[in-house]
Each structure stands twice: as structure tokens, then as C-alpha cells.
Amino acid sequence: MQTIETSIPGILRVVPKRHSDPRGYFSEVFRDDLFRAGVADLAFIQDNMSLSREVGTIRGLHFQSEPKPQGKLVRCLAGAILDVAVDIRVGSPTFGRHVAVELTPENGEWLWIPVGFAHGFCTLVPDTVVLYKVTDYYSAAADKGVAFDDPDIGIAWPVEPAAAVLSDKDRRQPRLADLPTYFTHSA
Ligand SMILES: Cc1cn([C@H]2C[C@H](O)[C@@H](COP(=O)(O)OP(=O)(O)O[C@H]3O[C@H](C)C(=O)[C@H](O)[C@H]3O)O2)c(=O)[nH]c1=O
């Protein structure tokens, strides 16, 4: 398993090893021991999966607040996504900045998103399936969000906001400037 740093410290691309042969390939896509040794000494206790039927479906930007914050390990099982993580840790030198990475079954990468970041993605092809492992259980009370099209974040989504397929919830998320302090940066 290879890890690749991104423009924001802490957010990592995680590339499992593939054993290719004329049939195709085999890959151990996740191993607890390798993740703990190479990324973070954390346990994943819930796996999530979503299907998005249309191109230009945007889910996010979401995070869970204390006492149920979630680290997320995200991969694309079918289709393709632009996966985005935004630093929402007040006091962070990269506060408000984001990482955007294309995840596909072909590149087989995970994106590791620690606690303190909002997460979202946009589908690039129809019938896209995303799997992600999380480090705490879902809590509706802790489920929070930031506006996907916040100009202060400035994500270059591959779809115009007006044309995006969104949940009602994601049409009315607050801007970053209006967000309470959920996370602070510890140097
Ligand atoms: C996240 C979650 C949701 N739900 C229920 C709540 C709703 O009744 C339904 C759809 O939830 P939501 O509209 O929040 O799903 P997404 O818009 O795909 O949100 C997710 O996608 C973005 C990209 C994320 O990073 C978050 O993990 C997650 O919020 O599933 C559950 O029962 N368990 C869960 O863990």
C-alpha cells in the first residue's frame, strides 16, 4: 500500500497494491495493519456505500461534529468521482482550502480524509458507486454541512451549480463564514 501526500497535510491518497495477470487483477484494498502503520492508528467501524444515477450529482460538503466526528476513507467502485475535502479547522494554515482528487475503479485509489474536514464528491459518469469507511457511527444529530458552492472555498466542480443534482439538504447548507467552530487546528 502506497501513500501519496496532497496539498493539505493529513489528506492522503492511498494506493493499494495490485497483482495483475491475464485474468485481470487481485488487490488487498484494505488491511488494518498497513493502514495503522502507514496512515493513522485508527479503527473503521462502519462502511457506507452510495449509488448516484446521474452525472453531475453532488453529495456534500458533509462532516460529523463532536462527539461523533468521522475520519473517512473513500473509494469509487463504479463510475468516477471528483472527491473533495475542505479544511474546516479554525486556526489551520490551510483553513478553507481544499483538495480535489479523481477517484475511479481504474486508479483504485482511496482518499483519506481525517477528522476536521468536510467531504463531498461530484459524479463524472452515470451510475457511480462510492464506498467509504468511517471511524465512527452515523449520528443524525452530528450530521453537519457546508455549502458545496461557497465562493470562499472555490471548488471547480465539473458541473454548474444550477445544473447539479443535489439533495434538498445540500441546497441549503451554510457558507463557511457562517459555520460555528466545530474543529480547531492543533499545531
Ligand atoms: C451518511 C448516512 C446517512 N444515512 C441516512 C440518512 C438519510 O436518510 C439517507 C441519506 O443520507 P444523506 O442524504 O446524508 O446521504 P449523502 O448525501 O450521500 O451523504 C453522505 O455523502 C457525503 C459525501 C459524506 O461524506 C457523508 O458521509 C454522507 O453525509 O441515509 C444513514 O442511515 N447512515 C449514514 O451514515
Side-chain angles (χ1 to χ4, degrees):
M1 181 189 82
Q2 178 193 11
T3 58
I4 302 170
E5 293 186 351
T6 66
S7 59
I8 296 181
I11 298 182
L12 296 171
R13 291 161 56 196
V14 179
V15 189
K17 182 176 173 59
R18 276 185 179 175
H19 303 277
S20 297
D21 65 34
R23 299 168 298 171
Y25 69 78
F26 177 89
S27 179
E28 293 179 353
V29 290
F30 177 80
R31 274 183 48 158
D32 181 72
D33 58 347
L34 295 181
F35 186 86
R36 287 177 186 273
V39 180
D41 188 14
L42 294 168
F44 293 96
I45 60 174
Q46 179 176 310
D47 284 2
N48 298 328
M49 194 163 90
S50 65
L51 164 68
S52 302
R53 296 203 181 281
E54 292 187 51
V55 182
T57 299
I58 293 178
R59 296 176 184 257
L61 301 162
H62 302 159
F63 62 96
Q64 287 195 176
S65 60
E66 296 290 354
K68 307 284 281 181
Q70 294 175 318
K72 296 174 185 169
L73 188 63
V74 186
R75 73 186 291 107
C76 181
L77 298 183
I81 59 170
L82 183 70
D83 205 44
V84 176
V86 180
D87 189 351
I88 57 172
R89 299 168 300 175
V90 174
S92 167
T94 52
F95 178 80
R97 283 182 43 199
H98 69 279
V99 165
V101 173
E102 190 168 316
L103 299 179
T104 67
E106 291 72 27
N107 67 33
E109 295 186 10
W110 296 96
L111 188 63
W112 164 242
I113 303 161
V115 166
F117 292 81
H119 172 243
F121 63 80
C122 180
T123 61
L124 305 176
V125 300
D127 296 330
T128 285
V129 178
V130 175
L131 170 82
Y132 50 109
K133 306 174 76 70
V134 293
T135 58
D136 209 335
Y137 293 120
Y138 173 64
S139 162
D143 187 21
K144 310 292 184 206
V146 184
F148 74 98
D149 58 346
D150 186 335
D152 294 334
I153 302 173
I155 300 168
W157 295 111
V159 64
E160 287 302 317
V165 178
L166 295 163
S167 65
D168 290 341
K169 175 178 77 172
D170 288 346
R171 292 189 186 284
R172 56 177 189 271
Q173 298 284 11
R175 288 185 57 169
L176 187 59
D178 301 325
L179 206 63
T181 299
Y182 289 111
F183 303 103
T184 55
H185 179 261
S186 50

